[in-house]
Amino acid sequence: MGILGDTTLAALNLLFSGNAELWEIIAISFRVSGVAILIATPPALLVAFLLTYKRFPGRRLLISINSTFLSIPAVVIGLTFFILLSRQGPLGEWRLLFTQTAMVLGQIALAFPILVAMGHSALQAADRRAWETARTLGANLIRAVFTIMREARFGLMAAFLAAFGRIIAEVGASMMLGGNILHYTRNIPTAIALESSKGEFAQGIALGLVLLTLAFTLNALLQHIQGKGQPVT
Amino acid sequence: MNAPLILTISALNKRFGKRQVLQEIELVLRPGECSLLSGGNGAGKTTLLRILSGLEKPDSSQIDMGNGFQSWRRSRADLQKNVLYLHQQPYMFDGSVRYNLGYALPSGLPKQLRNNMIDAAIDWAELNRLHDTPAKSLSGGERQRVSLARAWLRNPHILLLDEPTANLDQEARRRTLDLLRSFKKEGISLLLASHDPIHFSSLIDRHLHLYDSHLVKIEDQKLMQIPQLQSHVSLRSTA
């Protein structure tokens, strides 16, 4: 068996033997990215809703700016927050650099434009009559907003999954803001980068398998959700 | 039903770009009165209904709902509270017919009362066979009945209907007209926009026509079916 086969076998062994260090890294990844996506989603969807249903000066400019943020590399987000949170930075007194909170902040910044852009598309695709029907049937503003979110839920769920997939796999921001500290800020992508640089491929492959499994699960979920969202004929 | 409400619209204007769609519209809607609104394609029927229901902003207007004339902006909340607008193709929320009917009820109602009211609406609109059916899978006529049943539960003072019988077969049209008749009996003011005035001859009390951005009253009921022949119709400019 070649080196790839041997390494994969060793990786599977690490995964299924319940290697504590490996599973701790996985847990940190899910915790940080889970918190980030949960914090980012409500305001991002609200912004997406306003961009869809409100006409105000500068709306198109905002949409363009948001779309620009979609293509910013994670490492640039990381660098920006690094400068903000470093000792000499404007938020240096918060002493957040190299903490999980800093990683969460970076991942929120990464997830936000994805949620806004995809949420905006999903809400635009929703039938305009849904909003008008809700309002004319007496729904107040908040109830009408939730109704539209419910009607567009399949598209919004796709936005949620896409954003989560993006942030749990990013390495640049986590590395710069978390510092890759074992038992604290080392997550899946930063661990893969570190182990690979040391020539320890087994753990890297094992963690890569976890990310692949996650990507597959998210995509399968997405397909399932989008299938459910097909119109009744 | 609450105390009767008279809606008076004055000096209503609306333009889209350079095109004046509605000009100096004067209109009074009284309880239990059914008005037919006709006009060619793009005459502004739907725009007028949407403005009256608080969904579309006019360029200028004065609205009196019993408290004196106010701007549309100030009247908007009252319009949304008292006026219900039904789209030409009613929108059904994702869910069963029961869910859709329940949407028209205030969310804080006790469950038992809520269920009883939904059951009553199902009986009223003869939707018994369909109550658990996904509303999005209903036919045009069935959707129209669900939307009327939602309106019945909402119990508005004024009901605005945009082409309520368009694309319906004869039986569905008859059922829709029966339901509209019962709204009228309950004292609800109806304003129906339609290309086919003749379908509503047994229901309507007056016929209004939008022509060249003005709202006019057609006096001769026999000419209801040919409102496009403006030169032969006796017109009165206040409605």
Side-chain angles (χ1 to χ4, degrees), chain A residues 58-109:
Chain A
R59 181 180 148 270
R60 284 179 189 278
L61 180 68
L62 270 182
I63 293 172
S64 300
I65 291 171
N66 185 71
S67 302
T68 308
F69 276 115
L70 282 177
S71 46
I72 285 192
V75 71
V76 175
I77 298 277
L79 178 63
T80 309
F81 275 87
F82 185 90
I83 293 168
L84 289 173
L85 298 174
S86 63
R87 283 277 176 98
Q88 289 79 26
L91 307 177
E93 284 190 9
W94 293 4
R95 296 185 182 277
L96 290 178
L97 200 58
F98 305 136
T99 64
Q100 288 188 6
T101 309
M103 293 166 77
V104 167
L105 286 175
Q107 293 195 358
I108 288 173

Side-chain angles (χ1 to χ4, degrees), chain A residues 16 18 22-25 47 66 72 74 102 113 156 162 186 215 225 232:
Chain A
F16 292 108
L22 185 82
W23 284 101
E24 187 186 42
I25 289 168
V47 171
N66 185 71
I72 285 192
L156 297 179
R186 183 167 300 171
I225 286 167
V232 180

Side-chain angles (χ1 to χ4, degrees), chain A residues 127 129-130 132-139 143-144 147 150-151 153-154 232, chain B residues 50 55 80 83-85 87 89-91 93-94 99 103 105 136-137 150 154:
Chain A
D127 196 319
R129 289 173 304 159
E132 294 178 354
T133 303
R135 291 296 274 161
T136 202
L137 285 173
R143 191 180 178 204
T147 301
R150 182 183 179 274
E151 294 295 298
R153 64 189 179 280
F154 299 113
V232 180
Chain B
R50 290 169 58 81
L55 294 173
Q80 289 185 331
V83 181
L84 200 151
Y85 169 69
H87 293 91
Q89 289 170 327
Y91 183 82
F93 296 116
D94 197 8
Y99 171 80
Y103 196 91
L105 295 169
K136 284 193 187 290
S137 69
R150 282 193 306 210
R154 174 98 174 100

Side-chain angles (χ1 to χ4, degrees), chain B residues 43-82:
Chain B
K45 302 189 294 295
T46 299
T47 303
L48 179 57
L49 296 192
R50 290 169 58 81
I51 289 171
L52 296 184
S53 57
L55 294 173
E56 180 116 22
K57 187 174 176 282
D59 296 332
S60 61
S61 72
Q62 288 295 306
I63 293 172
D64 180 11
M65 299 180 79
N67 300 315
F69 279 104
Q70 289 183 320
S71 67
W72 178 89
R73 201 182 180 86
R74 282 177 176 267
S75 308
R76 188 178 188 184
D78 278 341
L79 286 173
Q80 289 185 331
K81 189 175 157 197
N82 294 298

